[in-house]
Amino acid sequence: MPLPVHLRQFLASVHPYDSLSEADVDALAEVCEARDFTPGETVFAVGDTATSLYIIASGEVDVTDETGVQISILGPRNSFGERALLRGEDASRTVTPTQDTTLIVMPAETLFALIDAHAPVARFFDRRRPPRTDQKDLTTLPVEQLMTRDPMTCAPETPIRSAAGEMHAKRISSICVSDAGGFRGIVTLRDMNGKVVAEGVDPAAPVSAIMTDQPLTLGPQALVTDVLHLMVERGIGHVPIVEGADLVGIVTQTDLTRAQAMSSADLVGRVAKAADAAEMSRGTAQIPDLLVQLVEAGNRHEVVTRLITDIADTATRRLLALAEAALGPPPVPYLWLACGSQGRQEQTGVSDQDNCLILSDDVTEAQMPYFADLAKYVSQGLDTCGYFYCPGDMMATNPRWCQPLRVWREYFRGWIATPNPEAQMLASVMFDLRPIGGDCSLFEDLQQKTLAEASKNSIFTAHMIANSLKHQPPLGLLRGLATIRSGEHRNQLDLKHNGVVPVVDLGRVYTLQGQLSPVNTRARLEAAQKAGVLSASGGADLLHAYDLIATMRLEHQVTQIKAGDKPNNYLDPATLSDFERSHLRDAFVVVKTMQSAVGSGKGALG
């Protein structure tokens, strides 16, 4: 079968070889060879000595691991074989064409020479997530990342009194004036005081009578430092941001102060001192902005999610204190625990509630209504703060999850003894329990005893492993990436359920196998590697894969927040570069491989 295009032209169109000079591409084409394969013909098999890199020019290949489990189906412009080459190992996969296929075969020594001589090629084949070095100072950020979008506006004919009422109700220091022709001007508290109070302008007059006409403005691509310089030089406290004739935002001195001071500690402090859930929600409403700031400052994903989760923990403890103040002191000791992403300290810009209550065994039936009211108070407060109710009702407001310690012990014993599908689901969630507020002695030995008992039950362990394989990485289509086929998120990847969750599930299995205490997923993987549950190479691969998937998920949410959209977990792979798509696919392949190892009963040490 002839190549669909000339060999040199083909290589010049494939990343990362498209970064090479014409002379280097010519030299590469001279040493590469095009080979044809028929369906079912083995390209290489598990245990073969790795000698070449393969690039698919046309056709399709099936990739399976040593157990025969399919890892992925690869189409044109994808490559394979580099894993074994770069590690100096024999092949750990079998590759078989599913149709007539033409492969470009690159000798190993050529690949190594390219990696040594060309940084873009080296970066492409470094499957680790590179550390972020683009630390950004506030003053160098584009103003569109800081401005308040959709600021309060009114028409020029609006009465001054009405505009003042709006400003007072919204607790803002300015209101912009716009009409059908676009942005007209701005009225600030200084205008109200100086022209209405001091000079006696009639409050019934239109705001156009006191507004600053054609004020100084900037475009959304200006830097924050431009705003600072303008404010200092001209002595103003408000800078409208316009694009053409349209008002798109505003930056005030308060915005600058808040952004400069905003940190997770600042939000934690505000939430911890809030008088009620409504006041608390004004702090938690800034979590998306904090997420943007933390990610763009180059923080690692586990640091970002830990800091975001700390705010939820603080909100929960503050609501518990407010509930006790409203309901009176608790009749017996209790412990509020988080599970799910909050329990694992992995919250992002999209979070629901997953929580429960463990009560002292001294609790009586007559005292149970107190804790029902406590749970309702806290859960409603969390919902007000943006932590929406759990769709599966995994909350302390459900009487099933508000029980004495003895009942919780029976729950875990029952789930381990009878590992049906529901028990597996509940056990998986409950393995992520983490105390938030109350008497921690109620949880001191529950987790460790449960892990020890569960790890001894081979049937439970087998069911736990099977449960961990329900969420599969999205491999198979679209250059190796299988997108959602229908519905609202058609042609997108679910970076939560098909990206992060498979690794979270593997982390739980390793925790069970090694009776490990960490709850955070990355900490679990590191502990499993240290304890020998995960091999050094397998653990390193899985950590790198998890880092890339989790980081890409956060970066996707940041992009949405900056665009003024609500963050979610659905990514269109068409928005990724070939480089990003290839690395994401490789990360999914690693996760699939580790799932296959666990599912085959070989663990992750083979």
Side-chain angles (χ1 to χ4, degrees):
M1 175 189 295
L3 270 174
V5 292
H6 188 274
L7 177 58
R8 186 204 174 284
Q9 291 175 313
F10 180 78
L11 288 171
S13 70
V14 177
H15 192 72
Y17 317 108
D18 56 359
S19 65
L20 302 179
S21 67
E22 291 187 6
D24 287 331
V25 175
D26 288 339
L28 179 61
E30 286 293 325
V31 296
C32 288
E33 176 188 358
R35 294 183 192 170
D36 296 333
F37 292 84
T38 57
E41 182 181 357
T42 301
V43 179
F44 62 75
V46 172
D48 287 352
T49 300
T51 60
S52 305
L53 173 75
Y54 298 85
I55 306 169
I56 304 173
S58 64
E60 183 181 81
V61 300
D62 183 29
V63 183
T64 58
D65 65 12
E66 54 272 307
T67 66
V69 174
Q70 184 187 74
I71 295 175
S72 64
I73 297 176
L74 303 180
R77 307 172 73 84
N78 280 288
S79 61
F80 58 89
E82 66 270 21
R83 178 186 174 93
L85 286 177
L86 297 175
R87 289 185 170 184
E89 301 173 348
D90 290 339
S92 60
R93 297 165 187 163
T94 296
V95 179
T96 308
T98 62
Q99 55 187 257
D100 288 337
T101 299
T102 299
L103 302 178
I104 306 300
V105 184
M106 182 187 302
E109 57 270 20
T110 301
L111 174 63
F112 296 146
L114 286 174
I115 290 174
D116 290 339
H118 301 281
V121 180
R123 285 196 300 271
F124 182 82
F125 287 104
D126 182 358
R127 297 317 190 191
R128 297 169 297 176
R129 186 68 169 175
R132 294 283 298 274
T133 57
D134 55 338
Q135 298 280 341
K136 295 181 180 179
D137 180 76
L138 173 66
T139 58
T140 64
L141 291 177
V143 74
E144 64 180 349
Q145 294 184 17
L146 176 70
M147 68 185 186
T148 299
R149 299 176 185 273
D150 300 319
M152 180 66 64
T153 62
C154 67
E157 62 271 16
T158 302
I160 295 171
R161 181 179 285 109
S162 297
E166 288 289 334
M167 292 168 63
H168 176 73
K170 300 293 184 181
R171 298 185 180 182
I172 54 177
S173 58
S174 65
I175 188 166
C176 294
V177 183
S178 297
D179 59 17
F183 177 62
R184 288 280 308 279
I186 186 171
V187 176
T188 67
L189 286 177
R190 182 187 297 179
D191 295 321
M192 292 286 186
N193 291 332
K195 297 176 182 178
V196 179
V197 178
E199 298 178 7
V201 174
D202 186 356
V207 292
S208 57
I210 64 169
M211 74 179 184
T212 300
D213 192 26
Q214 296 182 336
L216 296 168
T217 64
L218 289 172
Q221 298 307 315
L223 300 179
V224 172
T225 189
D226 297 325
V227 177
L228 287 168
H229 291 170
L230 196 60
M231 286 181 172
V232 172
E233 181 182 355
R234 302 300 179 91
I236 56 178
H238 304 76
V239 179
I241 308 302
V242 299
E243 194 163 25
D246 298 324
L247 177 72
V248 295
I250 191 168
V251 179
T252 68
Q253 286 181 331
T254 302
D255 293 328
L256 293 174
T257 301
R258 183 185 298 119
Q260 189 68 58
M262 187 173 70
S263 65
S264 59
D266 175 59
L267 293 189
V268 163
R270 292 175 58 186
V271 168
K273 297 173 184 176
D276 53 32
E279 181 180 345
M280 204 177 298
S281 69
R282 289 192 284 275
T284 56
Q286 292 189 27
I287 288 177
D289 293 332
L290 176 63
L291 180 66
V292 171
Q293 181 174 309
L294 290 172
V295 172
E296 292 197 329
N299 291 288
R300 292 182 58 85
H301 70 89
E302 69 270 23
V303 173
V304 174
T305 56
R306 168 66 181 271
L307 296 177
I308 295 296
T309 304
D310 283 349
I311 299 169
D313 292 354
T314 303
T316 304
R317 284 190 286 268
R318 181 55 180 158
L319 287 166
L320 286 169
L322 292 172
E324 289 188 19
L327 302 172
V332 297
Y334 72 88
L335 178 63
W336 184 284
L337 302 98
C339 45
S341 61
Q342 184 182 358
R344 298 190 306 273
Q345 296 180 301
E346 293 167 6
Q347 287 189 318
T348 65
V350 188
S351 298
D352 63 352
Q353 299 182 41
D354 293 289
N355 46 59
C356 64
L357 272 169
I358 297 179
L359 311 178
S360 166
D361 284 338
D362 295 332
V363 69
T364 65
E365 196 64 36
Q367 294 168 335
M368 291 299 288
Y370 174 93
F371 293 104
D373 291 341
L374 179 88
K376 182 178 179 181
Y377 188 106
V378 176
S379 288
Q380 286 182 341
L382 288 172
D383 183 64
T384 299
C385 291
Y387 303 101
F388 54 88
Y389 295 122
C390 174
D393 202 19
M394 188 72 67
M395 298 186 299
T397 49
N398 184 338
R400 189 179 186 186
W401 312 128
C402 177
Q403 292 291 335
L405 178 58
R406 63 178 180 275
V407 174
W408 280 101
R409 292 190 190 280
E410 286 302 316
Y411 282 165
F412 279 107
R413 289 194 191 102
W415 294 335
I416 294 169
T418 311
N420 56 45
E422 184 192 34
Q424 282 300 304
M425 184 273 292
L426 296 173
S428 294
V429 173
M430 294 305 170
F431 270 126
D432 296 345
L433 284 175
R434 183 171 60 87
I436 302 298
D439 187 347
C440 290
S441 67
L442 293 169
F443 188 67
E444 279 180 355
D445 64 348
L446 180 61
Q447 182 192 47
Q448 209 56 44
K449 286 185 177 180
T450 300
L451 280 172
E453 189 174 343
S455 65
K456 296 175 184 176
N457 188 316
S458 58
I459 296 178
F460 177 84
T461 301
H463 276 271
M464 194 81 172
I465 289 172
N467 189 65
S468 74
L469 304 180
K470 289 181 179 179
H471 294 96
Q472 293 286 324
L475 292 167
L477 302 173
L478 193 60
R479 291 190 179 179
L481 294 177
T483 57
I484 298 170
R485 295 185 177 182
S486 61
E488 179 185 359
H489 301 293
R490 184 172 179 270
N491 295 329
Q492 296 177 337
L493 301 171
D494 185 343
L495 291 180
K496 177 181 178 181
H497 291 101
N498 300 116
V500 171
V501 168
V503 185
V504 170
D505 290 340
L506 284 172
R508 291 197 192 103
V509 171
Y510 302 145
T511 294
L512 180 62
Q513 292 175 334
Q515 297 185 40
L516 308 172
S517 59
V519 176
N520 174 266
T521 298
R522 200 177 198 285
R524 280 173 167 169
L525 300 183
E526 291 176 335
Q529 193 177 23
K530 186 175 181 180
V533 177
L534 265 171
S535 68
S537 60
D541 276 353
L542 190 55
L543 281 166
H544 292 150
Y546 179 55
D547 286 345
L548 188 144
I549 296 167
T551 300
M552 192 167 286
R553 179 191 182 197
L554 287 180
E555 291 175 344
H556 166 64
Q557 292 186 3
V558 164
T559 299
Q560 292 179 304
I561 292 168
K562 289 166 62 177
D565 300 325
K566 287 186 177 180
N568 63 31
N569 297 297
Y570 298 97
L571 173 69
D572 182 356
T575 63
L576 302 176
S577 66
D578 284 348
F579 175 86
E580 292 170 320
R581 199 157 41 236
S582 177
H583 278 263
L584 183 59
R585 175 184 64 81
D586 285 348
F588 289 145
V589 168
V590 168
V591 177
K592 177 70 174 178
T593 300
M594 301 306 282
Q595 285 184 323
S596 298
V598 168
S600 67
K602 295 184 178 181
L605 296 174

